[in-house]
Amino acid sequence: MRALLRVAGVVLAAFMVAAFAVLAGCGSGSSGESRLTVYLSAPLSGAAGRDGEDIADGARLALADAGWEAGGHPVRLEVLDAADPGGATDAIAGANARTATRDSTAIAYIGELESGATRTSLPITNEAGLLQVSPAASAVDLTRVAPGSDEIPTETQPSGIRTFGRVIPSDTTQGAAAAVAMKDAGIDRVGVVLGPDGNYLDALIDGFESVTGAPARVSGPPLDALYVPASWPSSEKFGRRAGVAGSAVYGADAAIVGSPPSTSLPPGSGLVSGSQAPSQLAAGDDFIAAFRDAHGRDPGRFASYGYEAMAVVLDSIDRAGDPLDRGSVVDAFFATSDRESLLGTYSIDETGDATLDRVGAYEAVTGGRLQPLPEPFVVP
């Protein structure tokens, strides 16, 4: 009887060891390291689905280039669709953020594509102390109370501690780039078409007027150009009223719709976007070839920003004092300085903005399609 009990005890002990090994493997790498998870939220369907797929595939490529590890720990990417069947993203982004923050292995969150969705997810990740890096959301109020302010926006970061940054220039930088483009084109007087989004327009104008020698912003003829933040129909009416038919037209990011990107602006219009086309990157040819090899298609204009969002997250984990601690990774991200990246050399300033000075330069061609210009616009 005792012999049978001893045999049973050995069998039970062996079973428990095996079960413990299986359970430990759920949160550890093959060599016992703690596994880290980076969540990525982007629309994978609807009108912005292609842009979201580009962001996700860019991030996948960056993680593969890093060998699926950072800080001595294996890293996995969890991609979450931020769009519902109708294409809306705000509420879904909030749910995605909650999913990430409830995961004890989550070390960072990449998202969102749109500023509106970021306003939903950011308060959730911020309260959890989780680093959030956006590849595309450029609204000023995500990092500052107002243009020119360094005050933390507690509506989007309610903990009072900054945990958010981005790898795309802000709307203020985009406005400055538009002024540089018009100035270089010899434009002296420009009419700005007022749009419904006051915060967005304020940021564009703040950047526009920050450029020394920027074209004068006037409300009546004679005008040399129109600056259009959104769609063309209302702008066309403004142009006729101001007597500037046939004058140059420049559009901002909000005038770009869909994927592949198009616009309602007339052919010949110039468009200034926060996102450079892959062909405008210094290492664009290599990136396009690598992306094509990995995913069997050419990258869109947000793919490189998805790549860099993941790359700087992994770099922050590598540099963190404790790569398993969310706060330590946040600190490392904000200490990013003179980083040489696919998008150019940049630092992260105290508000979470990247000091990138290059923005996308496009021209509207027949049918509303956008054609990248040979070089991006550069803000001095």
Side-chain angles (χ1 to χ4, degrees), residues 140-318:
V140 169
D141 65 293
L142 299 174
T143 59
R144 307 167 186 264
V145 170
S149 169
D150 292 333
E151 186 179 346
I152 185 169
T154 54
E155 286 191 7
T156 51
Q157 300 191 61
S159 74
I161 299 173
R162 295 184 186 275
T163 58
F164 173 81
R166 52 184 162 215
V167 295
I168 194 165
S170 70
D171 293 334
T172 302
T173 303
Q174 186 190 145
V180 170
M182 294 181 205
K183 178 182 174 184
D184 290 348
I187 291 171
D188 295 320
R189 294 166 60 87
V190 60
V192 178
V193 180
L194 301 179
D197 189 341
N199 292 335
Y200 173 62
L201 184 63
D202 288 347
L204 291 176
I205 297 305
D206 185 76
F208 189 96
E209 294 183 339
S210 71
V211 174
T212 301
R217 191 162 61 92
V218 296
S219 58
L223 302 181
D224 300 320
L226 290 176
Y227 184 33
V228 181
S231 63
W232 175 240
S234 61
S235 311
E236 186 178 29
K237 181 178 179 181
F238 177 94
R240 288 198 305 268
R241 187 170 66 248
V244 292
S247 295
V249 176
Y250 288 82
D253 240 345
I256 300 174
V257 297
S259 185
S262 63
T263 181
S264 61
L265 299 181
S269 302
L271 284 106
V272 182
S273 169
S275 57
Q276 300 174 72
S279 61
Q280 294 171 341
L281 303 170
D285 290 344
D286 290 341
F287 175 69
I288 292 170
F291 190 95
R292 187 182 293 142
D293 287 344
H295 302 298
R297 60 184 177 84
D298 287 338
R301 65 191 182 106
F302 289 110
S304 58
Y305 294 85
Y307 182 100
E308 179 54 24
M310 173 60 84
V312 74
V313 163
L314 297 175
D315 180 57
S316 298
I317 297 170
D318 278 334

Side-chain angles (χ1 to χ4, degrees), residues 31-212:
S31 58
E33 312 100 323
S34 296
R35 180 183 291 121
L36 298 173
T37 304
V38 175
Y39 279 82
L40 186 151
S41 174
L44 305 179
S45 57
R50 181 62 179 271
D51 290 335
E53 287 285 1
D54 278 338
I55 288 172
D57 285 344
R60 291 184 179 105
L61 182 57
L63 184 56
D65 285 349
W68 297 276
E69 71 88 31
H73 300 277
V75 178
R76 74 181 183 98
L77 173 63
E78 184 73 27
V79 177
L80 303 175
D81 190 353
D84 65 15
T89 61
D90 292 7
I92 305 299
N96 290 349
R98 283 187 288 274
T99 296
T101 57
R102 291 168 181 164
D103 183 348
S104 62
T105 72
I107 197 64
Y109 182 94
I110 296 173
E112 311 286 339
L113 170 65
E114 299 163 340
S115 295
T118 307
R119 293 187 184 102
T120 301
S121 62
L122 177 52
I124 298 168
T125 60
N126 178 256
E127 291 279 23
L130 184 66
L131 174 64
Q132 180 167 343
V133 179
S134 175
S138 56
V140 169
D141 65 293
L142 299 174
T143 59
R144 307 167 186 264
V145 170
S149 169
D150 292 333
E151 186 179 346
I152 185 169
T154 54
E155 286 191 7
T156 51
Q157 300 191 61
S159 74
I161 299 173
R162 295 184 186 275
T163 58
F164 173 81
R166 52 184 162 215
V167 295
I168 194 165
S170 70
D171 293 334
T172 302
T173 303
Q174 186 190 145
V180 170
M182 294 181 205
K183 178 182 174 184
D184 290 348
I187 291 171
D188 295 320
R189 294 166 60 87
V190 60
V192 178
V193 180
L194 301 179
D197 189 341
N199 292 335
Y200 173 62
L201 184 63
D202 288 347
L204 291 176
I205 297 305
D206 185 76
F208 189 96
E209 294 183 339
S210 71
V211 174
T212 301

